[in-house]
Amino acid sequence: MSSDTLKSHCLDDSVIQRISGDQKMFDRCLKMRFTLLGILPTLLGILILHQAKSQSPKFTQSSWNLLPNVVVVNVDGSLVQHPLTCLGSFNREEEGWRRDNDWVWRRDGEEDEEILWMMGGEEKKKGNSFLVNLEERTGGGIFTCHSLDKTLLKNTTVLVKHLDEQKRILEGSTRTGYMKCSTWNYQGEFHCSWKVTTKRVGTIMSVRVARGLSDAENISCSVDASGQQWTCSSSSGQSDIMCSVNSSGLGLSCVDRQYCPYAEETDRITLTIYMRTNYLLEEYSQRFYLSEIVKPDKVSIKKMNSSTIEWSYPVSWNRPISYFPLSFQVKEIKGRERKNGCTCDSPCTKVHTTESRQWSVKAKVVVCVRSQDALCDSPWSDWTEYRHNKGNKRRRNRSRSLCLNTRSLPY
């Protein structure tokens, strides 16, 4: 019997039982079993070492500066290393660089350089260079280099940006979006807001905004001393938008300083915010025309007579109204549903669309009116509620009130 055949047979318990009568064959099988069990840990160790080498850190290929002294490293889930230098720049192709068994790049003689790297008050290493280990969404931080007397030479904040589409800071989804943007007229102003997920604290690190894709790629943004007002201008001069972050940090207000309400919008606005929690950075973008997000303010309703009401355009809406017309929706709520006001969405409540600004009412009802840009499929305004009572009952109530007031007058 060949050794390979014997090996396969000796691993089969049924074969062991059959050859138990042949003492010589039985001893050979037992010896082979013990030999295989003895080398198993070695084989397992080789497998683990091979796996570890396959997961060794990659040298970062994708990083960029978000702000002065703020570096963003793009990661894909694998372990990567990003180089920092205190003085000059890092070049691993220079003579003297080596990678030790702990996968850290070092240069001959750098331990003798009078530069000390620290993170969170803890000394990390000596030398001009320092490599940051980043994996998944961890590894970022504030890294500082000092002279040996602890004088600060440079500080760098390293943020991690994962390349997958899964977001963790803001509520929403790719389908529904993460930001809600709106404007109440065509004056070039717009507002965007968002919600931070539970147990997260989100901070805006940067804002980029431009009208048109070509300008979005060639945009220059600056921030004021407060860090809350951003101005982004394109090299072509066609885009000039300023945004201010709200005091709550949950929204911003912007104005397109090149916008003309009487000209057709040919390019969408692209708004991008970079949100940070701890040392994780996420990017959120939204594109829109102002005509897609315009939502008029609520209309004002007044009574003309006992059977007619009238509403007027919002004060904030553009004039002339012949150039910026609005359409209106009206619904009447009767009976017990009146207590719910305009929030009532009963299927029995019919909604009427009209261009007129007058409405006839014949009974005790709640009248709700809202408006929309007549030329665009943009959002409707919020409902304005008007409670209409029968004329005669209203007069009786008024007379009773006057009577009571008269009785209370001193003589």
Side-chain angles (χ1 to χ4, degrees):
M1 185 181 293
S2 67
S3 59
D4 290 339
T5 304
L6 178 63
K7 186 185 299 183
S8 62
H9 279 64
C10 288
L11 294 177
D12 189 335
D13 290 335
S14 62
V15 173
I16 290 292
Q17 291 176 359
R18 288 200 304 270
I19 68 173
S20 58
D22 187 339
Q23 187 63 41
K24 185 177 180 180
M25 183 69 70
F26 184 74
D27 290 342
R28 289 183 65 187
C29 277
L30 287 181
K31 184 178 179 180
M32 184 165 289
R33 272 199 170 189
F34 285 128
T35 302
L36 291 174
L37 290 175
I39 66 173
L40 184 61
T42 303
L43 293 174
L44 184 60
I46 294 173
L47 179 63
I48 294 174
L49 180 61
H50 175 75
Q51 189 174 15
K53 286 187 175 181
S54 65
Q55 295 178 349
S56 61
K58 297 186 299 183
F59 204 76
T60 179
Q61 300 293 327
S62 179
S63 63
W64 45 285
N65 293 323
L66 180 66
L67 297 169
N69 299 324
V70 178
V71 177
V72 179
V73 181
N74 297 326
V75 299
D76 58 5
S78 59
L79 179 61
V80 299
Q81 288 185 324
H82 180 75
L84 300 177
T85 56
C86 188
L87 305 173
S89 58
F90 174 83
N91 184 1
R92 60 176 170 161
E93 303 300 330
E94 290 180 353
E95 185 177 354
W97 282 102
R98 68 185 187 281
R99 203 170 195 175
D100 289 347
N101 293 332
D102 56 0
W103 301 104
V104 175
W105 285 89
R106 289 183 172 86
R107 190 178 62 190
D108 295 334
E110 70 171 353
E111 290 81 3
D112 299 328
E113 296 175 348
E114 296 183 350
I115 295 176
L116 181 66
W117 282 93
M118 303 182 69
M119 177 187 177
E122 178 184 352
E123 295 184 7
K124 290 296 184 180
K125 69 179 290 286
K126 291 178 65 177
N128 186 52
S129 64
F130 183 80
L131 273 86
V132 183
N133 290 315
L134 305 162
E135 188 172 13
E136 288 293 339
R137 291 170 171 82
T138 62
I142 300 176
F143 300 86
T144 58
C145 61
H146 309 255
S147 58
L148 295 185
D149 62 2
K150 300 298 179 65
T151 300
L152 178 65
L153 300 176
K154 185 179 180 181
N155 74 85
T156 304
T157 299
V158 177
L159 303 179
V160 180
K161 182 177 181 292
H162 207 286
L163 295 177
D164 67 15
E165 294 298 323
Q166 186 176 1
K167 306 295 185 182
R168 285 168 166 75
I169 302 178
L170 299 188
E171 291 185 0
S173 66
T174 304
R175 182 180 61 84
T176 62
Y178 296 91
M179 293 186 285
K180 294 183 178 179
C181 299
S182 66
T183 180
W184 53 72
N185 57 28
Y186 289 106
Q187 296 295 346
E189 299 179 3
F190 60 93
H191 314 271
C192 297
S193 61
W194 51 83
K195 292 182 179 180
V196 179
T197 55
T198 307
K199 298 181 181 180
R200 293 279 184 179
V201 178
T203 303
I204 290 184
M205 290 295 293
S206 181
V207 176
R208 292 179 63 85
V209 58
R211 187 180 284 277
L213 284 176
S214 58
D215 283 331
E217 298 172 355
N218 300 286
I219 200 74
S220 175
C221 298
S222 60
V223 62
D224 68 354
S226 70
Q228 302 299 304
Q229 182 168 298
W230 298 81
T231 302
C232 295
S233 303
S234 64
S235 56
S236 66
Q238 299 299 312
S239 181
D240 182 16
I241 302 177
M242 183 176 66
C243 294
S244 298
V245 180
N246 299 346
S247 57
S248 65
L250 298 177
L252 47 78
S253 300
C254 305
V255 56
D256 182 352
R257 298 191 287 194
Q258 295 286 349
Y259 178 74
C260 175
Y262 303 101
E264 181 181 358
E265 287 184 283
T266 57
D267 294 303
R268 282 185 169 90
I269 292 173
T270 301
L271 171 67
T272 302
I273 63 171
Y274 295 92
M275 188 72 67
R276 166 187 172 181
T277 180
N278 295 324
Y279 297 104
L280 170 66
L281 186 78
E282 291 183 348
E283 176 182 335
Y284 299 88
S285 295
Q286 189 145 331
R287 298 184 65 235
F288 52 85
Y289 293 110
L290 291 186
S291 58
E292 292 175 327
I293 64 170
V294 64
K295 178 182 177 180
D297 279 336
K298 296 169 68 172
V299 301
S300 298
I301 303 177
K302 66 179 181 179
K303 178 181 178 181
M304 294 188 65
N305 53 51
S306 61
S307 61
T308 307
I309 60 172
E310 182 182 49
W311 53 86
S312 57
Y313 274 57
V315 176
S316 59
W317 190 249
N318 294 68
R319 265 58 173 180
I321 60 176
S322 58
Y323 193 82
F324 300 97
L326 291 175
S327 294
F328 304 96
Q329 284 189 342
V330 184
K331 65 179 179 179
E332 293 183 345
I333 304 172
K334 303 176 183 179
R336 295 180 179 179
E337 299 293 346
R338 288 179 301 157
K339 64 181 180 181
N340 298 321
C342 294
T343 60
C344 173
D345 289 322
S346 170
C348 298
T349 303
K350 185 177 180 180
V351 178
H352 308 268
T353 301
T354 178
E355 304 297 325
S356 173
R357 285 184 284 154
Q358 293 186 356
W359 193 257
S360 297
V361 288
K362 299 179 180 179
K364 188 176 182 180
V365 296
V366 171
V367 181
C368 303
V369 183
R370 65 180 182 179
S371 63
Q372 179 194 50
D373 186 341
L375 305 179
C376 299
D377 186 19
S378 54
W380 287 91
S381 71
D382 294 330
W383 292 104
T384 299
E385 179 181 303
Y386 180 84
R387 292 185 175 270
H388 183 74
N389 296 310
K390 290 183 179 179
N392 56 353
K393 186 172 181 179
R394 192 167 186 177
R395 284 195 295 271
R396 286 199 300 270
N397 290 340
R398 187 182 299 113
S399 299
R400 179 172 175 78
S401 175
L402 288 172
C403 180
L404 292 175
N405 289 337
T406 304
R407 289 188 185 198
S408 62
L409 291 175
Y411 290 99

